[in-house]
Amino acid sequence: MREYMNKNLPVEERVESLLSLMTAEEKIAQMTQISYNAVSGEEYERFLNLGIGSFLHVLGEDTQKIREAAQKTRLKIPPIFGIDAIHGHCLLNGATIFPSQLAVSCSFNTELIREMGRVTAREVATDGLDWTFSPVLCIARDLRWGRVDETFGEDSYLIGELGAAIIDGYQCDNLIVACAKHYLGYGEATGGRDAYDTEVTERKIRELFLPPFKRACDAGCGTVMTAYGSIDSVPLTANADILRGLLKEECGFGGFVVTDWENVRALMTNQMVVSSIKDAAKTAGEAGNDMSMHPPKVYACMVELANEGKIDMKYIDDAVRRILRVKFKLGLFDGKAEIPRSVIACEEHRRVNMEITRESLVLLENKNNILPLKNFGDSKTIAVIGPNADDIRAQYGDWTYFSHPEPKENVIPENDYYTVLRGIKTVFKDSNILYNEGCDIMDSSRESIAEAVEAAEKSDVIIAVVGDCLKQYGEFRDRADLELSGAQFDLLKALKATGKPFIGVLINGKPLCIEWLKSNCDALIEAFNGGDLGGLAVAELIAGRFNPSGKLTLSFPCCSSQMPCYYNLYEGWHGGRYMDVEPGNVYDFGYGLSYSSFEYDNLRLSKNVVSRDEEITVSVDITNNSGIDGKEIVELYINDVVSSIMTPVKQLRGFEKVMIKAGDTKTVTMKIKPEDLSFINKNCERTIESCEFEIKVGTSSKEYLTAKLTVE
Ligand code: NOJ
């Protein structure tokens, strides 16, 4: 038996032993990822026989064929199969589809997000796959950007915490590895334009964009994906400071870096920093990209470079070591545990999905406590109106088999899914339900509005389900205008004019301009893209079968140009407002209602004066003043009152989700570690300065109690 096949040896020894046997071609094959959909025929066969390192977007039995081909190569190095299992194993029709990453972020529930990762890993593993290109750790601060739905929202700290939770979930059973992406600053591209240049300083990188990735490294994330774009004109793919320096050396990342799709070629074709793909391959390899995701031509270029002595083998060896390390750790050489296909969408997975879907919903308005709907029996009629009321594609959102790897128009979902319409019919089974689409999201024709109004007039309550559709977000689909599109606004106004009680439900990939809805609805629910069970959870919330507990992880602007609007924006000298719109956001980060009402009192610190290396404890008493048990998300913000450079007036540094029984008071205790008081100074160093701090604990980024802390 070859030494590296001995599973009793430590991983590092196995890696070195295998590396010492490999030719340059075999090493470079490991650094290559082939797309199962973009390469075919003879070329595909050739790569199979070469023992290529990785394939992406293979499903089902085809993985087996590829593994068998790898077994026929000289060193029998197993390939690693990657897939975009972003909110469940969504490219497989029939698998559990969770709410989008943005939706689940609103749960602030690290335990459930971890479970979502674990469930996804099990379903991905049944297909013989080893690697998900998830989570997205980009910060969504420009809402025009097309990929806001894929993020955990606008706050760097929260993203780090939720990212670490899902990474742990993906990797805890050692079935698959996670991939933290898109490294770095991708969501902050100029003007919210996908894959553009990001104009940020090194200080800001260290303050905001790096910490979630550092957190991912500390959580043991196996891989990182290089973003498409550039930072201050330097393409990420060519950026040795960011890849080798920051990630591998400073953050101590021990896994491997894969490029995003065609990043290497883009150095020549889009970013034009080299004039040939061969130079692109050299630049990318030297900068610290360990594996190139498509096109296969990069393989041939790298081999030429190596044979001509034009690339230092130390870069290739470093990359291959990293890739082999991940493969050995994952057990690919030793035969991974097999997961039966029966786990796909099984009861346990559905239960986890139901729980997280419920906790992801955010109740934005509930005027006069109209919700939960009371006494809605058989004598009642409910009008369910709107283009997203019965559209499973809008409800699933991006990165499912409907949209990837290729857009598909006519697929019938194999699993049991609930749109809002089906949810309402199920939960209010004795009531009379009238459904009308009312209008389209893209087409502004008003033709069907009259019919919708007719249905509304015959009803006791209107549930209007509006939002956006798959054509309006995702890669290549940034939006300049965040108003409700098509004839949705006219539809809503016509429904409102009926004078009937009016509940709005939003199914959307990102915050839209909903000021009118806020003022005119009786209740409003933000559901984002809720996955399989989104429609059922919305109906249950309306019926009061559970108590909502989600809070927004993004702020909502009043109009498209009131941006950016994130909560930790600097105040500015002149109020930071536009003279032609009301100041303030429509909804703020961290906001969300419950059927319970919570009162905060008695905020106290274990010490009010501390030294720079001391940890302190913050406690607050929270009373549930209502007659219903409820979960509250407790948010902790810190303000460094006077610092050598400007810092935000509040910065999230902790949160807890707690269940408080009706009438009970609970003391919630959170820790503040010295680093929570730190910031990156003008010399790009992390520092804690002696001064006054404000510790704010409350129910949203706008409502909190404040205690003073002095650091000496
Ligand atoms: C492009 C996307 O930017 C990335 O998120 C994804 O994982 C890869 N392509 C693979 O599909």
Side-chain angles (χ1 to χ4, degrees), residues 56-57 84 133 147 181-182 225 228 260 293 399 475:
L56 79 150
H57 294 165
D84 287 287
F133 303 130
R147 304 185 71 174
K181 68 185 189 184
H182 306 81
M225 187 184 291
Y228 286 137
D260 202 343
M293 180 193 290
W399 290 105
E475 273 187 68

Side-chain angles (χ1 to χ4, degrees), residues 519-641:
S519 324
N520 288 281
C521 68
D522 294 296
L524 186 58
I525 300 162
E526 177 52 88
F528 291 119
N529 305 111
D532 284 333
L533 302 171
L536 182 58
V538 166
E540 289 183 342
L541 184 153
I542 292 173
R545 293 206 182 161
F546 70 92
N547 189 352
S549 63
K551 293 192 179 177
L552 296 177
T553 57
L554 284 169
S555 307
F556 280 50
C558 71
C559 62
S560 308
S561 43
Q562 193 208 28
M563 265 199 292
C565 62
Y566 45 86
Y567 80 95
N568 45 3
L569 197 63
Y570 290 131
E571 297 272 282
W573 271 17
H574 295 167
R577 62 161 296 188
Y578 297 103
M579 50 77 60
D580 47 358
V581 288
E582 286 301 311
N585 296 327
V586 175
Y587 293 109
D588 290 291
F589 175 86
Y591 166 83
L593 301 173
S594 159
Y595 290 152
S596 309
S597 68
F598 300 105
E599 199 184 313
Y600 284 63
D601 194 19
N602 197 17
L603 176 65
R604 59 218 182 259
L605 310 180
S606 53
K607 278 175 102 176
N608 289 83
V609 181
V610 291
S611 63
R612 289 182 204 199
D613 52 4
E614 261 180 286
E615 195 169 279
I616 54 165
T617 303
V618 183
S619 304
V620 67
D621 301 335
I622 306 173
T623 303
N624 179 347
N625 277 329
S626 69
I628 167 170
D629 300 350
K631 284 187 182 171
E632 165 69 343
I633 296 163
V634 186
E635 303 165 32
L636 184 153
Y637 299 87
I638 293 184
N639 177 21
D640 184 340
V641 179

Side-chain angles (χ1 to χ4, degrees), residues 33-151:
Q33 186 177 62
I34 298 289
S35 159
Y36 196 56
N37 301 289
V39 177
S40 55
E42 271 180 29
E43 193 184 22
Y44 169 67
E45 290 297 326
R46 194 167 66 81
F47 279 115
L48 266 193
N49 300 332
L50 268 175
I52 229 63
S54 177
F55 289 79
L56 79 150
H57 294 165
V58 190
L59 282 175
E61 282 163 10
D62 294 350
T63 52
Q64 201 42 39
K65 278 195 260 163
I66 296 174
R67 279 199 207 287
E68 280 162 18
Q71 283 308 306
K72 294 191 185 125
T73 60
R74 189 176 78 93
L75 296 168
K76 303 185 178 18
I77 305 177
I80 181 165
F81 292 98
I83 190 98
D84 287 287
I86 305 292
H87 49 117
H89 184 20
C90 303
L91 265 47
L92 177 75
N93 189 352
T96 302
I97 298 193
F98 285 98
S100 65
Q101 203 178 292
L102 177 60
V104 298
S105 70
C106 299
S107 73
F108 281 71
N109 191 327
T110 47
E111 248 327 289
L112 282 177
I113 288 176
R114 183 181 181 277
E115 276 299 282
M116 166 178 169
R118 196 183 63 87
V119 164
T120 303
R122 283 156 59 83
E123 298 203 6
V124 164
T126 60
D127 255 334
L129 308 176
D130 322 290
W131 179 19
T132 176
F133 303 130
S134 172
V136 168
L137 301 182
C138 303
I139 305 183
R141 307 204 308 172
D142 191 324
L143 303 173
R144 293 170 292 187
W145 183 42
R147 304 185 71 174
V148 168
D149 62 303
E150 294 180 49
T151 71

